[in-house]
Amino acid sequence: KVGLRVVDRGFLNTAVIQSYITFIDGDRGILRYRGYPIEQLAEQSNFLETSYLLIWGELPSKSQYDRFHDEVMNHSTTHVDIEHVFKSFRYDAHPMSILTSVFAALGSYYPEANPSLQGQNLFTKKDLASVQNMDKQIYRLIGKAPTLAAMAYRVRQGRHFITPPPGLSYTGAFLYQMDCLGQAEYKPNPVLERALDILFILHADHEMNASTTTVLQAGSSLTDPYSAIATGCASLYGPLHGGANEAVIRMLISIGSPDNVPAFLEQVKRREKLLSGFGHRVYKTTDPRSRIIRRTADEVFKVTGKDPLIETAMRLHDMALKDEYFVKRNLYPNVDFCGLIYKAMGFPLDFFPVLFAVPRVVGWIAHWRQMMLSPDGVKIWRPRQIYIGPEERAYEPIGQRQ
Ligand code: SDX
């Protein structure tokens, strides 16, 4: 403690902004986007409509939705040159490191978004030109996110990039490019497209999580939105955050069978292992998204068949929720058990964090836009520290050192 300055480890008690976008009550397990409960949006809305709500603050009229949908889908293709970035990676590169790099590269394709080329605050003015410029970057980022993700999948398989036929839904066009269902000819599957759309709604935003904070930290210097989004990918990639959905499945595979769950939980209590998919900085009860995931999983498994890991996952849930060690620490299932659905749909394991990043681009860009247009202007995020290093001391030439 120095004067009024106190280190708040992990920002447990630090609010960095005021926001109109997402509300979470961690004690009661409440999540609302612009005031609408996540349960109602998952049940009645779709991902693009929810994206519009998160970004512009209101549910769109039919004409506003149609225009937004067309803008996003028209921006879903990429410049052919960006393919070289994908092909510059090792054959076995993690798709999240590819996605992080490609978003950063994308910024250089749109000079109107790049402040360093224009040397001015491109988006913080309130004039029509800067708002239209901002909207175009938003359409591009949301439209291209699934395409870039699919390209990261296909490049690793040594396969050509493909452009989906017109008329497919947002998730349908993505699944077409992913063809992870192993179908020679993609046949739209409404159950799986809707399930992925619901999962995208659940992952769209979550107020000041680590990756959104990272995007705003970067964005506060007025860098271009593509570079800011790339920093969000880098943060989300970590196994304590978005990388947990991949870590959950690797954990279940390593446990092997339901009978091994008790021994695994003992290792967790001895802090030899982490219980991925459990715990949350804000929720001190079950994550409301995990209940919707359970229902969505039942629908998907009717189409894909149940994954053998389900039994181990259920035993883990049942035992951990009754165990004093976890209950005392408020460790409940979080959003990251959705990996069981992704696995059943045929996505590769290391692709799961990418399935988190694609929808989270909307939350990142909604918070970035809110920052750029804040009435009192953009203030660079530059926290202080408390110095505990050596006092002043004189330089010693190398010949005089021990
Ligand atoms: C997401 O922030 C968001 O909103 C994130 C997210 C979003 O939508 O953006 O919701 C998405 O990232 C969900 C979380 C995914 N991560 C995981 O599933 C990884 C496993 N979870 C943990 O790493 C942990 O719970 C965190 C990172 C999620 C939260 O960590 P905190 O808030 O810093 O809590 P902590 O580490 O201080 O833990 C408190 C106690 C500790 O025990 P003690 O030292 O007090 O004895 O609980 C223990 C921790 O050791 N603990 C766990 C645990 N999580 C916390 N012990 C075992 N397994 C765990 N998973």
Side-chain angles (χ1 to χ4, degrees):
K1 203 171 172 148
V2 170
L4 282 180
R5 213 179 291 160
V6 177
V7 173
D8 179 16
R9 190 163 166 259
F11 298 158
L12 273 160
N13 298 302
T14 295
V16 287
I17 57 166
Q18 290 179 298
S19 175
Y20 296 94
I21 300 173
T22 291
F23 170 75
I24 301 175
D25 179 327
D27 296 323
R28 294 190 294 161
I30 292 173
L31 170 59
R32 298 186 198 125
Y33 291 164
R34 301 280 187 172
Y36 293 94
I38 192 69
E39 294 80 2
Q40 292 181 27
L41 293 170
E43 181 75 27
Q44 303 174 58
S45 183
N46 67 50
F47 175 65
L48 283 186
E49 183 184 71
T50 297
S51 300
Y52 186 101
L53 170 69
L54 281 166
I55 295 166
W56 285 281
E58 296 297 336
L59 286 169
S61 65
K62 175 86 174 62
S63 62
Q64 287 170 327
Y65 175 78
D66 290 345
R67 178 163 178 274
F68 177 61
H69 172 275
D70 293 350
E71 287 282 8
V72 166
M73 298 311 282
N74 291 342
H75 281 97
S76 60
T77 53
T78 58
H79 191 292
V80 67
D81 285 359
I82 202 85
E83 295 183 7
H84 301 306
V85 181
F86 285 90
K87 294 180 177 167
S88 66
F89 283 85
R90 261 176 60 105
Y91 69 95
D92 59 352
H94 194 291
M96 271 309 282
S97 55
I98 297 176
L99 195 64
T100 303
S101 311
V102 168
F103 269 123
L106 212 53
S108 55
Y109 284 79
Y110 306 110
E112 76 276 18
N114 197 323
S116 56
L117 301 181
Q118 318 256 344
Q120 57 180 317
N121 301 350
L122 297 176
F123 304 110
T124 55
K125 292 182 303 198
K126 308 295 182 280
D127 63 30
L128 184 61
S130 65
V131 173
Q132 282 174 337
N133 178 15
M134 173 187 283
D135 287 352
K136 185 192 271 188
Q137 311 316 325
I138 291 173
Y139 302 145
R140 280 186 174 134
L141 278 158
I142 300 172
K144 289 172 184 8
T147 303
L148 300 173
M151 291 170 81
Y153 168 75
R154 298 183 72 88
V155 74
R156 211 187 31 201
Q157 298 189 326
R159 299 169 70 184
H160 294 300
F161 302 126
I162 52 176
T163 302
L168 292 178
S169 68
Y170 187 79
T171 48
F174 177 51
L175 286 173
Y176 177 93
Q177 295 177 83
M178 288 299 298
D179 78 3
C180 57
L181 307 179
Q183 300 164 348
E185 166 69 20
Y186 178 73
K187 288 184 287 302
N189 182 312
V191 172
L192 300 186
E193 286 183 28
R194 178 59 186 150
L196 196 57
D197 194 81
I198 291 171
L199 290 170
F200 278 12
I201 290 173
L202 299 182
H203 285 85
D205 191 53
H206 215 236
E207 59 130 280
M208 279 299 107
N209 57 86
S211 54
T212 302
T213 307
T214 307
V215 169
L216 293 185
Q217 175 73 55
S220 75
S221 72
L222 298 185
T223 187
D224 70 275
Y226 301 88
S227 302
I229 293 292
T231 69
C233 287
S235 171
L236 189 81
Y237 186 7
L240 294 188
H241 190 13
N245 60 16
E246 174 183 350
V248 165
I249 303 301
R250 293 190 189 283
M251 171 186 75
L252 294 173
I253 293 168
S254 73
I255 291 171
S257 83
D259 297 342
N260 299 336
V261 166
F264 172 76
L265 290 179
E266 287 312 308
Q267 285 182 296
V268 172
K269 293 179 195 176
R270 293 196 299 272
R271 300 167 190 270
E272 293 162 13
K273 292 278 174 76
L274 186 68
L275 181 55
S276 286
F278 270 71
H280 198 278
R281 171 61 58 76
V282 179
Y283 291 122
K284 298 312 168 199
T285 179
T286 297
D287 184 327
R289 297 170 293 180
S290 63
R291 280 193 286 269
I292 301 167
I293 286 169
R294 293 278 289 266
R295 288 200 296 275
T296 307
D298 293 341
E299 291 309 307
V300 169
F301 296 151
K302 286 176 193 163
V303 174
T304 61
K306 259 196 173 187
D307 191 296
L309 290 176
I310 288 283
E311 299 314 317
T312 304
M314 298 312 288
R315 179 73 61 82
L316 196 63
H317 269 204
D318 295 345
M319 292 194 70
L321 292 177
K322 290 181 201 132
D323 187 309
E324 173 60 17
Y325 178 92
F326 300 102
V327 173
K328 189 169 73 172
R329 290 169 173 79
N330 296 313
L331 298 182
Y332 296 94
N334 59 44
V335 71
D336 285 302
F337 266 85
C338 57
L340 287 165
I341 298 178
Y342 297 145
K343 186 168 181 295
M345 289 177 75
F347 290 105
L349 198 41
D350 61 358
F351 203 75
F352 293 6
V354 172
L355 296 168
F356 194 143
V358 168
R360 189 50 60 92
V361 165
V362 167
W364 292 335
I365 209 69
H367 283 278
W368 171 80
R369 180 178 182 275
Q370 179 178 254
M371 172 186 263
M372 290 302 116
L373 297 181
S374 55
D376 44 6
V378 181
K379 196 148 182 67
I380 195 164
W381 285 15
R382 200 275 184 224
R384 295 302 308 276
Q385 59 163 20
I386 291 179
Y387 179 71
I388 53 172
E391 293 304 319
E392 184 178 353
R393 50 185 172 165
Y395 179 82
E396 297 141 12
I398 191 160
Q400 294 169 21
R401 294 172 213 157
Q402 319 322 9

